[in-house]
Amino acid sequence: MLAHYTDTLININQEDYNLATTKNFKVKDQIIKVNGVGVDLSKFSAVTSEMKLQLREEYGFNKDEFMLIYPADLVTGKNQEMIFKAIKILKNKIPTIKLLLPGHQKMITEYKQMVKDMGIENHVEFMGYRR
């Protein structure tokens, strides 16, 4: 509906690009497709079991811990509060559960208090920004 107000319509996936071009969206200038915002998996390789154990030891984690990683900045829009609520429930079923939170820590004070109030501070680790 708003395409005719748009100078350039940028699509980050083939499906949306096809829709815009086949339905003749009326943009002022152009419809383009750029590679999406996902992760290029070709830059990574699988980690062996031995490497996993070595990394756990290096970072001080027990080999038996059930690890969850949510890489995201600590901001309201990423909804870590929902994950904290899930951890509070899951810790009773999976006592070794550990949530790792790498990312910028804008709301670290509020979230640390929230985790403490929920009684899950031994199950959540705020890791800070990582590359």
Side-chain angles (χ1 to χ4, degrees):
M1 281 179 26
L2 299 175
H4 65 277
Y5 295 110
T6 303
D7 294 324
T8 300
L9 181 59
I10 301 171
N11 300 275
I12 61 170
N13 63 56
Q14 192 65 44
E15 181 182 5
D16 291 342
Y17 176 78
N18 291 344
L19 178 68
T21 55
T22 60
K23 297 295 182 184
N24 296 317
F25 282 27
K26 305 291 186 218
V27 301
K28 292 180 184 175
D29 189 19
Q30 62 183 332
I31 299 171
I32 61 173
K33 179 184 169 277
V34 298
N35 289 330
V37 294
V39 175
D40 180 1
L41 295 177
S42 69
K43 294 181 179 181
F44 303 94
S45 60
V47 178
T48 66
S49 296
E50 293 81 21
M51 290 172 71
K52 287 179 187 178
L53 287 174
Q54 180 182 349
L55 286 168
R56 283 176 179 258
E57 186 177 312
E58 183 180 320
Y59 286 99
F61 298 117
N62 186 307
K63 67 180 176 103
D64 298 322
E65 287 179 305
F66 184 87
M67 316 236 349
L68 303 172
I69 303 172
Y70 183 47
D73 293 341
L74 298 181
V75 295
T76 306
K78 300 297 181 178
N79 203 7
Q80 282 91 351
E81 183 177 355
M82 183 264 312
I83 297 171
F84 299 154
K85 290 175 183 176
I87 296 295
K88 183 176 180 179
I89 295 167
L90 290 171
K91 74 180 176 77
N92 298 321
K93 297 177 185 201
I94 310 169
T96 61
I97 196 164
K98 180 75 105 174
L99 172 63
L100 307 180
L101 296 170
H104 287 289
Q105 300 188 353
K106 183 176 181 181
M107 296 181 64
I108 187 72
T109 304
E110 296 95 320
Y111 283 161
K112 278 190 172 183
Q113 187 62 51
M114 189 181 298
V115 163
K116 184 177 179 181
D117 292 345
M118 291 181 171
I120 58 173
E121 61 269 23
N122 293 329
H123 299 276
V124 177
E125 182 156 334
F126 298 95
M127 303 180 73
Y129 177 78
R130 306 290 169 117
R131 288 193 62 74

